Amino acid sequence: MALPIPVFIGYDPHERAAVNVLIDSLVQHSSQPLAITPIVARQLQGVYGRGRDPRQSTEFSFSRFLVPHLMGYQGWAIFMDCDMLARGDISELWALRDERYALLCVQHDHVPREDVKFLGALQTRYEKKNWSSLMLFNCGRCTALTPEYVNTASGLQLHRFEWLQGDHEIGALPMDRWNHLIDVQSPRTEPAAAGGPALVHWTLGGPWFEEYRLVGGVLAAEWFAARDEAFRLWS
């Protein structure tokens, strides 16, 4: 039997519903065992201690970069934001590991038009926007991400991957398959089995927030269906 796939999910107390629905969607679609760990800031005492920056839209904006440390800088691991929904098998993403790279991600060309996103959070614009929302870490090649560095580096240093030796260490994941940005990229709603997105991302605000209940249209309806199925009571 294959070893469990390590999956780390960014946790924010405002998005508990999103975290739980994402976890269930990963489990329901995966053909391999998963080891899923929400990254909860208050559980990282002695490892992560930086205060909340007003420009952070989530509690895990910076703590995501502790994944290699939490893995003991060994093996591979997946990180993903919590505002996502799995529509396909995450083992397909796991199979894309490539030892030529320190990290793989979807290399979006996303320049936000809006100044504010969900819950009034400030929208920030920077090179490699949203690249860090889904990362496949080759942990042994990410040793620069020590707790000391993650606690002191600027947001731009972290999210633009300035801790790597250069962009040649970053591999590209298929943009039409993984980390599809809802209401940013052209709509893709076909099932994952028919070539549609296997992992969708409500980066501007998801249907677990009242004012974003309809964002994504059919995909929002899929999220509610996944929520209802995840919390269905058996008679």
Side-chain angles (χ1 to χ4, degrees), residues 70-90:
L70 296 173
M71 289 288 294
Y73 303 102
Q74 295 183 12
W76 286 79
I78 297 170
F79 170 84
M80 61 181 67
D81 283 7
C82 66
D83 49 356
M84 296 182 171
L85 182 72
R87 306 170 77 238
D89 190 345
I90 199 67

Side-chain angles (χ1 to χ4, degrees), residues 228-235:
D228 292 346
E229 182 64 21
F231 295 100
R232 181 162 61 96
L233 301 179
W234 293 88
S235 59

Side-chain angles (χ1 to χ4, degrees), residues 10 13 78-80 93 119 124 126 131 151-152 157 159 161 166 170-171 177 187 204 220 230 233:
I78 297 170
F79 170 84
M80 61 181 67
L93 173 63
L119 299 184
T124 54
Y126 54 87
W131 287 26
N151 276 292
T152 58
Q157 287 175 312
H159 288 280
F161 307 106
I170 307 173
R177 188 68 173 167
L204 302 180
L233 301 179

Side-chain angles (χ1 to χ4, degrees), residues 48-162:
Y48 182 74
R50 66 190 298 165
R52 180 74 175 259
D53 188 302
R55 291 168 293 183
Q56 286 181 247
S57 58
T58 64
E59 186 175 274
F60 55 86
S61 292
F62 302 145
S63 57
R64 72 186 69 205
F65 294 100
L66 288 171
V67 166
H69 171 78
L70 296 173
M71 289 288 294
Y73 303 102
Q74 295 183 12
W76 286 79
I78 297 170
F79 170 84
M80 61 181 67
D81 283 7
C82 66
D83 49 356
M84 296 182 171
L85 182 72
R87 306 170 77 238
D89 190 345
I90 199 67
S91 68
E92 178 188 327
L93 173 63
W94 187 240
L96 298 178
R97 303 186 311 282
D98 189 331
E99 293 293 344
R100 293 177 298 171
Y101 301 108
L103 178 143
L104 293 102
C105 63
V106 178
Q107 299 183 6
H108 295 289
D109 183 15
H110 178 204
V111 180
R113 299 185 300 272
E114 64 285 335
D115 295 317
V116 177
K117 53 183 183 176
F118 60 90
L119 299 184
L122 294 177
Q123 180 66 277
T124 54
R125 300 172 179 85
Y126 54 87
E127 182 187 0
K128 299 183 175 68
K129 178 74 173 180
N130 260 310
W131 287 26
S132 61
S133 56
L134 174 70
M135 295 179 283
L136 195 48
F137 283 105
N138 188 352
C139 298
R141 293 181 57 179
C142 297
T143 55
L145 291 176
T146 63
E148 293 75 19
Y149 183 84
V150 174
N151 276 292
T152 58
S154 70
L156 289 179
Q157 287 175 312
L158 290 166
H159 288 280
R160 294 193 304 199
F161 307 106
E162 294 180 11

